[in-house]
Structures are given as C-alpha cells and as structure tokens.
Amino acid sequence: MDMLLFSLNRDTNMPLYEQLYEGIKEAIIHQKIAVGEKLPSKRRLSDFLNISQTTIELAYAQLLAEGYIASKPRVGYFVEDIAELPFIEKTITHTPDTPKKHTYKIDFSPGKIDEDSFPFTIWRKYAKDLIDLHSKELLQIGDRQGEYELRSQIASYLYQSRGIHCTAEQIVIGSGTEQLMPFILRLFNQASIALENPGYSAIPRNQLDHAVIPVDVDADGLLVDQLEKTEANLVYITPSHQFPTGAVLSAARRAQLLKWAAGKVSRYIIEDDYDSEFRYIGKPIPALHSLDQNEKVIYMSTFTKSLMPSLRVAYFVLPPALLARYNEIFSYYSATVPRFDQHILAHFMKDGHFSKHLNRMRKIYRKKHDKLLSILTKHYPTIGVSGDVAGMHILIQVPHSKDEQELQKIAKENDISILPLSNYLLTPVQAEFPTFLLGFGGIPIEEIEAYVDALMMAWSIRKN
Ligand SMILES: Cc1ncc(COP(=O)(O)O)c(C=O)c1O
C-alpha cells in the first residue's frame, strides 16, 4: 500500500494516535485495506500525515496487540485476516424514552428525611480517614454477613436502645429491608407468610414463592385472632409503629402473638422495627424480640429513617436455631453493602455520633410533627388524624365527596404528591373516609403550613 489518508482532528480531546488507530481499524474491518496488504512505514506515514513517528508507533502497536495487523521483522506491518475475529458493527441503539420521574413541588411521601441536618462534616472525616489509613485492607472482599465491626456496633446499639440481647454472629447486614426479606424467606421452604393489611408494600413484592395471607390491622395492631385461624407459619409485622396506620401492637396482642409462635416449631415472627427511634408520645415501645423467651422472633431494622435512605444499610438478627441453615444456604453470597460504607458507619456509631444524631433528629421531627398537628387541629378541624405517636408520617381522614383516587389526582394536578391508604392494601378494605399518608420528615418546618394550605385548597377544604 502506498499511503493512508486520514483526516486527523487536532482540536478534540481524542489523542492523535487513537484517531489513527481507529481510522486504520475501521478501514480493515470494512475491507478498505485488503488482507495481507503492507501498511506504510512509520517514517513515510509520519511525513505524509505530518505527525510524529511516535504517534504512528503507538497506533500500530495497538493494532498489533489487538490482532488487526501482524509484524514481519525488518519488513513491516501487514493486515491480518480478521474474518474470524468477533466483530460487532457499531450501531446506535435507541432505547425508548423513559419519562423522567416528576419531582413534585410539594411532596408528602412518607419516605423523605430532613435534608438539612445530616452531619456531613463528621461523615466526611470518617470517609477520609478510612481512605487515608485503611484503604488497602478494604479492597478485598469482606465478610458475607457484613463487617464484624459494624455488626458489633449494631449489637451494642440494639442492647442499649431496644433491650435486645444478641451477638454480632447473629446479625446479617444487607442493602435494605426489601433486599433482605427474600434472604429470610429462603430459610423457610414452602412456608406461607401472613402480612399486615394494610402493610408495607415492598414485602408482598418480595415474597418469592411463598403464599401471602393478608391479616387485618386495627387500632391495636395486627388482629392475632385472625392470624391464628390461618395456615401461616411466618408473620411479618411492624409492632412498634404499624406501617402505614401507625398503630402500636397492644401488650395483650404481643403476648398472644408470641404464644402463637411458640405453638409450633415451624412458626416465626419477622419483626420490622424500621422507625422505632422516633416516638413522640409516651415511653419507647420495647421490641417484640426483647419480650420473646422462645427465640421465635427474627428482628430486622434499617438505617433508612434514622440516617438516610440512600445509605442502603439494613440488617436482621437471626435466632441461633436458624444460623446453621443460613450459613448452609448463603455460604457463597457476598455482602451487598460496600465495605467502605460499612466501616464509615461503624466508626460513626462507635464514637457516639449515631446516638447524638438520633437525639438531634428526634427533636427536629418532634417539632415538625407538633407543628403539623397544630395546623390541622386549629385550621382544618374536619380532618381526622391518626397514627401520630411515632415516625415520620401521620394518617389523615378526609371527609369529602370525592374518593381517594380522585383526590390524589387533584393533588397531582396541583404539583402535590400524596399517597392514599389504599396503595398499601393487599385486599380492599373500605375505609370510612378517603385516607392519606402525610409524610412530614422531608418538609422544611417553615413550609409546613403553606404546604398543608396548598393541599387543602386543592381539595377545596376551607381554612378556619
Ligand atoms: C415498614 C418499613 N420497613 C422498612 C423500611 C425501609 O426499607 P429499606 O431498608 O429497604 O430502605 C420502610 C421504608 O421506608 C418501611 O416503611
């Protein structure tokens, strides 16, 4: 071959050698240069294209390494037969446009936390220290149950704050309640699981091949009488603050539920204690696990509410009797939370920052909670309120001629996101009034009144 003509662009970020390499490669692939043809010598091509010989050397070396050309010592470079090389024609694939998720001007969803109070400075310090001092050790794969340091911190936190006695060996860390739930279910073959109705919607989505049995909830929590009449041998429950109704499982029902579980070897209770840190009325509710004498409770919790949803750290505590089975099934699994994040969190807890953060957040959420309730009682007395003893949302009952779906639609048209109770029902239960979850965690305190007013105005409910 006499010469290769390429237009090289000196104004882009792409190095010249790469442009040359791409150009020759394309020409070979599309058979514009025949198999066996000799490429121009580096010196001649360098004169012709007015670029350095080193640039050409780099391009030829890359083509050589990838098998597009072969070198014959002291003779030159020749185009290889690439018919056998796997080659995929570059095509621009157009994925269908997925509509961007709309960000509402006013968002009452229950999953939001306060964004202004996160201790970024402290978090950054632990992240930096970890990278500066321990980065090499943390490059290798970690413990599949989660880092021992974090599990020890969680064990001592559970003992101090929830009265739970457990060891780090019983704890399994994963990237969220939703992700851990199928792990728990895999420990039980063919079990049917009873779920609260209404209840946390992520659970039925993850029930694998287990039959789901809805069990109703009233002001005292799960109807254990109803559970007793089912075939279920597992029950998922949020006893400290039922999601979404906010009911607290009464002492009598707690005893009844623990008795139900003790009645058969195959029965277990999955206790989701997702937001017990934030309680506004009365003393903290003891975890069901702390009352259990028969090791029948699989306790689970998360840092989603207490720290941040994006951290993706949740955990469960297995009763000793289930540990062997867990180890057998999950011996090939790896932890799903990055080791760096686990260690940042472990240090944050060890040095007392987690407790400090919780104390601070409790005050902040209490203020928001009190403000929301006072606005509703003072200005909108027709609106019923329930589920207001804990957590980061309350329930409102709205006497209205329109139903939940219509009211939600009107809210959306006014750029307000609000979720109806029916979103959380496994089987339809007719509520007396349209009922909605009013999340307040993410709303700046100074905006609460304006946001409530906007919602009520959209629903044509007059302010008193
Ligand atoms: C009942 C319940 N459990 C757990 C969680 C947290 O889930 P995750 O740990 O997957 O963020 C939530 C969500 O906010 C919840 O409402």
Side-chain angles (χ1 to χ4, degrees), residues 41 75 78 99 114 117 201-202 281 321 342 346 350 370 399 440 450:
S41 76
V75 184
F78 294 84
D114 187 286
S117 326
S201 46
I281 296 165
Q342 294 190 55
K350 184 163 172 270
D370 293 354
F440 54 85

Side-chain angles (χ1 to χ4, degrees), residues 256-265 267 269 292 294 296:
Q256 192 184 355
L257 184 62
L258 291 170
K259 201 166 159 218
W260 168 86
K264 266 194 188 171
V265 180
R267 284 184 186 158
I269 299 164
D292 172 28
N294 300 296
K296 285 297 204 172

Side-chain angles (χ1 to χ4, degrees), residues 290-307:
S290 67
L291 309 171
D292 172 28
Q293 303 291 319
N294 300 296
E295 301 187 329
K296 285 297 204 172
V297 177
I298 301 167
Y299 177 91
M300 69 190 311
S301 191
T302 177
F303 289 92
T304 281
K305 302 278 183 186
S306 53
L307 217 44

Side-chain angles (χ1 to χ4, degrees), residues 114-302:
D114 187 286
E115 289 170 1
D116 295 326
S117 326
F118 187 77
F120 279 110
T121 315
I122 299 166
W123 198 263
R124 187 184 302 115
K125 178 191 165 324
Y126 285 115
K128 185 179 175 306
D129 286 356
L130 205 65
I131 289 180
D132 289 350
L133 307 172
H134 303 284
S135 46
K136 276 198 182 171
E137 304 147 42
L138 295 181
L139 292 178
Q140 306 297 351
I141 197 101
D143 192 309
R144 65 188 159 81
Q145 271 181 241
E147 297 296 285
Y148 189 82
E149 289 81 348
L150 179 56
R151 286 186 285 129
S152 308
Q153 288 306 318
I154 292 174
S156 72
Y157 167 72
L158 288 180
Y159 176 63
Q160 283 159 25
S161 72
R162 306 298 289 131
I164 291 174
H165 293 262
C166 70
T167 62
E169 284 71 19
Q170 287 171 263
I171 296 178
V172 177
I173 291 168
S175 47
T177 308
E178 221 178 306
Q179 186 256 337
L180 285 174
M181 198 57 197
F183 278 41
I184 297 179
L185 293 182
R186 279 197 58 190
L187 302 174
F188 304 94
N189 293 332
Q190 306 299 318
S192 45
I193 179 163
L195 299 182
E196 296 168 316
N197 186 37
Y200 183 38
S201 46
I203 306 303
R205 283 203 298 265
N206 280 308
Q207 45 81 21
L208 301 177
D209 48 359
H210 294 65
V212 163
I213 303 174
V215 175
D216 296 338
V217 167
D218 69 7
D220 282 336
L222 186 90
L223 295 172
V224 185
D225 282 347
Q226 215 182 82
L227 170 71
E228 286 171 344
K229 294 189 189 111
T230 71
E231 291 299 304
N233 31 20
L234 284 176
V235 60
Y236 163 88
I237 184 167
T238 45
S240 302
H241 185 227
Q242 204 276 329
F243 189 87
T245 67
V248 176
L249 191 71
S250 68
R253 295 227 183 127
R254 277 162 193 261
Q256 192 184 355
L257 184 62
L258 291 170
K259 201 166 159 218
W260 168 86
K264 266 194 188 171
V265 180
S266 57
R267 284 184 186 158
Y268 278 93
I269 299 164
I270 303 167
E271 172 180 23
D272 182 358
D273 203 24
Y274 66 108
D275 73 351
S276 57
E277 290 88 358
F278 305 117
R279 188 169 166 78
Y280 312 114
I281 296 165
K283 287 200 308 183
I285 307 290
L288 198 58
H289 188 288
S290 67
L291 309 171
D292 172 28
Q293 303 291 319
N294 300 296
E295 301 187 329
K296 285 297 204 172
V297 177
I298 301 167
Y299 177 91
M300 69 190 311
S301 191
T302 177

